[in-house]
Amino acid sequence: MEQNSVTHDERVKKAKLMKVFIAFAAGMAGLLFGLDIGVISGALPFITTHFDLSSRLQEWVVSTMMLGAALGAISTGWISFKLGRKKSLMAGATLFVLGSLGSACAPNVIVLLVSRVLLGFAVGIASYVAPLYLSEMSEKEDRGKLISMYQMMVTIGILVAFISDTIFSYGGHWRLMLGVISIPALLLMISVFGLPDSPRWLASKGMISKAKDILRMLSTTDEKADNELSEINESLKVKQEGWGLFKANKNVRRAVYLGMLLQAMQQFTGMNVILYYAPQIFKHAGFANTEQQMIATVICGATNVLATLIAMKTVDKSGRKPILKIGFAGIALGTFLLGVCLYMINAGFDALWISIVAVIMTLFTIASFAMSAGPVVWILCSEIQPLKSRDFGVACSTTTNWGCNMIIGATFLTLINHFGIAATFWIYTTLNILFVVLTILFIPETKGVSLEKIEQNLMAGKKLKDIGE
Ligand code: BGC
């Protein structure tokens, strides 16, 4: 009896350690995702001077990464289906190292652009594989928390990039800003070696006994692991896979469209516009010199990180759907009041309190996103796709994320020129109100439900909003 309980304790400890390692490695992928999103804003002015870039080329330096990410996400669907999550992560880590070193050492703008596409490819792979891998490696009770933790690493990456950019900016060291990212990239490469492959992917490739070993390693009892394996086997009975299944099966199509809708909603909240525009709002509020600007960006980055903690704490308890509704409503309110403040400022009301309210609303909007759509959309997208078409479905939703990110970036300045800054934010207000309604109508609650149960409900033709019941 005594012996047994010690063995069990040891097993629980081992399973826990393995999960911490898995979370660390996938978290590194998130960190790199964030670092690469965050780094370019600080480096661009120096790169522009160094290579004497036209504004067209500056846009290219920024957007080649998004383009690479969209391409990376589409092609990883296939790579991850054929080679598995682990090898895909390895490919991503290698590209992160090559892309960071390539852009840091670039002798001319062509090498810089090619390296940015490579980096984008790496970001596309990371944003595709890491949440999917985490969802397949975790137990239903803490799946949400693990993927929120991944999103928190994304936000930490953005924050660290802001800080490191500021530090290196004193000497104008743009090559160091870009090159320093190769260090966490190397760390990711090394840690991926120690990762087990996903049992769900192994089972889908017929490697049942390997899948069983890994499930047992991650579970606290053999019984739990074996039950999970039989549920996985059950979901593999469907004959077709990927694209074929998408064409043939209406329920699979519904899941794919739902994933794409979720990612489009996440991007059209306007979060990236707010992050981009925040320094200007802080400038109005009196944060005028470089040092104050630095404090301002760090405050935004830190708010993003801290609010993600709220999601980590609540997503497996209160559920995905309530926090998504609250989040979209919060962003609607924040962007509305921000628009009002900016309207007043532009109309000549120059009171300090208006600028302060604008700053508070900026932070409120960032926090509303970070505690909801930021993590929850990645969580849901990795949960709702049936196993046999999971790679295809997640590839479609991740590519939608990057595609919409590009659209937002490309239309923002045009919208401001056409409608003015206040009305531009009100457009986002309207969209976020619409997203509250869409969440009520279509988004399922998946808290505490196994991936296999979600799949059964979907394939049985239940309404999308009910597939987690
Ligand atoms: C989004 C990114 C965004 C980031 C901000 C992610 O979930 O996909 O577009 O920049 O959150 O924290």
Side-chain angles (χ1 to χ4, degrees):
M1 191 67 202
E2 178 76 349
Q3 172 86 28
N4 244 341
S5 89
V6 171
T7 320
H8 180 71
D9 284 354
E10 272 178 12
R11 181 178 181 159
V12 172
K13 213 166 153 192
K14 258 190 166 168
K16 213 171 172 182
L17 266 178
M18 193 60 199
K19 280 184 194 156
V20 171
F21 177 63
I22 288 171
F24 167 79
M28 288 305 292
L31 185 85
L32 283 159
F33 173 173
L35 283 170
D36 280 298
I37 294 181
V39 76
I40 199 64
S41 58
L44 193 61
F46 301 107
I47 296 177
T48 304
T49 317
H50 186 98
F51 291 119
D52 193 17
L53 298 183
S54 62
S55 41
R56 173 58 57 86
L57 272 173
Q58 286 181 47
E59 269 172 21
W60 272 97
V61 170
V62 176
S63 57
T64 35
M65 196 197 86
M66 315 281 185
L67 183 72
L71 293 175
I74 297 183
S75 34
T76 319
W78 185 81
I79 301 172
S80 147
F81 176 67
K82 288 279 174 213
L83 305 178
R85 292 43 169 143
K86 179 174 164 157
K87 289 200 178 110
S88 311
L89 264 181
M90 181 55 84
T94 313
L95 287 178
F96 267 127
V97 176
L98 291 178
S100 321
L101 293 179
S103 46
C105 303
N108 54 47
V109 76
I110 303 286
V111 177
L112 180 65
L113 291 178
V114 172
S115 307
R116 295 277 301 159
V117 175
L118 286 186
L119 263 185
F121 225 86
V123 173
I125 296 178
S127 60
Y128 170 98
V129 184
L132 178 65
Y133 179 70
L134 281 172
S135 77
E136 293 186 340
M137 299 305 280
S138 48
E139 286 175 302
K140 54 180 186 264
E141 294 80 14
D142 53 15
R143 205 170 52 223
K145 187 166 151 198
L146 264 177
I147 307 176
S148 307
M149 190 226 58
Y150 157 82
Q151 166 71 15
M152 198 174 84
M153 294 299 281
V154 175
T155 60
I156 292 179
I158 297 176
L159 175 62
V160 171
F162 286 167
I163 296 174
S164 122
D165 274 5
T166 316
I167 295 170
F168 290 129
S169 70
Y170 288 109
H173 301 303
W174 64 270
R175 290 188 191 274
L176 282 175
M177 292 178 194
L178 303 181
V180 78
I181 297 179
S182 57
I183 300 171
L186 266 174
L187 214 61
L188 172 66
M189 238 175 137
I190 297 166
S191 42
V192 171
F193 276 111
L195 285 179
D197 222 320
S198 150
R200 285 174 172 84
W201 178 78
L202 287 167
S204 75
K205 294 287 160 200
M207 292 180 255
I208 302 292
S209 78
K210 266 194 183 167
K212 188 172 181 170
D213 290 346
I214 293 173
L215 280 171
R216 287 191 171 192
M217 177 174 74
L218 294 170
S219 280
T220 44
T221 63
D222 283 354
E223 203 194 342
K224 246 179 152 179
D226 295 350
N227 281 343
E228 220 170 321
L229 187 60
S230 34
E231 281 196 60
I232 294 172
N233 279 331
E234 196 54 39
S235 70
L236 286 170
K237 284 191 180 147
V238 185
K239 285 271 174 310
Q240 277 162 311
E241 293 175 337
W243 172 240
L245 196 55
F246 174 82
K247 279 192 299 186
N249 193 308
K250 182 175 157 236
N251 292 321
V252 170
R253 285 200 294 276
R254 291 193 305 146
V256 173
Y257 297 146
L258 181 62
M260 292 169 76
L261 172 72
L262 277 160
Q263 289 288 11
M265 291 202 300
Q266 192 211 49
Q267 288 302 311
F268 284 104
T269 52
M271 166 65 169
N272 285 322
V273 166
I274 298 274
L275 274 183
Y276 176 82
Y277 201 73
Q280 313 253 23
I281 296 167
F282 277 75
K283 212 182 208 167
H284 264 297
F287 290 72
N289 63 38
T290 321
E291 221 134 77
Q292 288 170 337
Q293 286 283 303
M294 171 194 147
I295 298 173
T297 38
V298 171
I299 293 175
C300 290
T303 306
N304 196 13
V305 176
L306 291 176
T308 310
L309 276 177
I310 304 178
M312 269 181 83
K313 287 258 173 272
T314 52
V315 75
D316 287 317
K317 293 197 186 88
S318 328
R320 285 72 163 136
K321 207 167 164 166
I323 61 176
L324 208 50
K325 279 187 276 185
I326 295 173
F328 286 136
I331 304 173
L333 182 68
T335 47
F336 174 70
L337 293 177
L338 183 56
V340 173
C341 294
L342 293 173
Y343 182 83
M344 290 172 82
I345 292 170
N346 287 342
F349 294 93
D350 217 5
L352 181 64
W353 70 265
I354 302 177
S355 300
I356 292 175
V357 176
V359 166
I360 295 172
M361 283 307 121
T362 306
L363 297 179
F364 179 75
T365 308
I366 292 175
S368 302
F369 174 90
M371 55 132 316
S372 64
V376 171
V377 164
W378 291 106
I379 297 173
L380 282 165
C381 283
S382 64
E383 292 177 328
I384 54 174
Q385 306 297 339
L387 185 51
K388 283 247 171 158
S389 56
R390 190 162 294 160
D391 290 283
F392 178 76
V394 177
C396 291
S397 55
T398 311
T399 309
T400 306
N401 174 288
W402 288 106
C404 293
N405 197 333
M406 269 193 328
I407 295 175
I408 290 284
T411 53
F412 177 53
L413 290 177
T414 319
L415 284 178
I416 294 185
N417 288 339
H418 250 83
F419 302 110
I421 180 70
T424 300
F425 280 122
W426 291 332
I427 294 177
Y428 292 117
T429 307
T430 317
L431 286 173
N432 280 286
I433 294 171
L434 173 70
F435 297 159
V436 176
V437 178
L438 291 178
T439 304
I440 295 171
L441 292 179
F442 298 114
I443 309 302
E445 179 53 77
T446 51
K447 152 190 91 160
V449 189
S450 75
L451 297 180
E452 287 69 33
K453 179 79 194 160
I454 298 172
E455 173 165 352
Q456 269 171 29
N457 288 338
L458 173 81
M459 298 310 249
K462 275 197 172 186
K463 280 187 183 162
L464 284 175
K465 73 175 175 46
D466 297 330
I467 60 174
E469 283 171 4

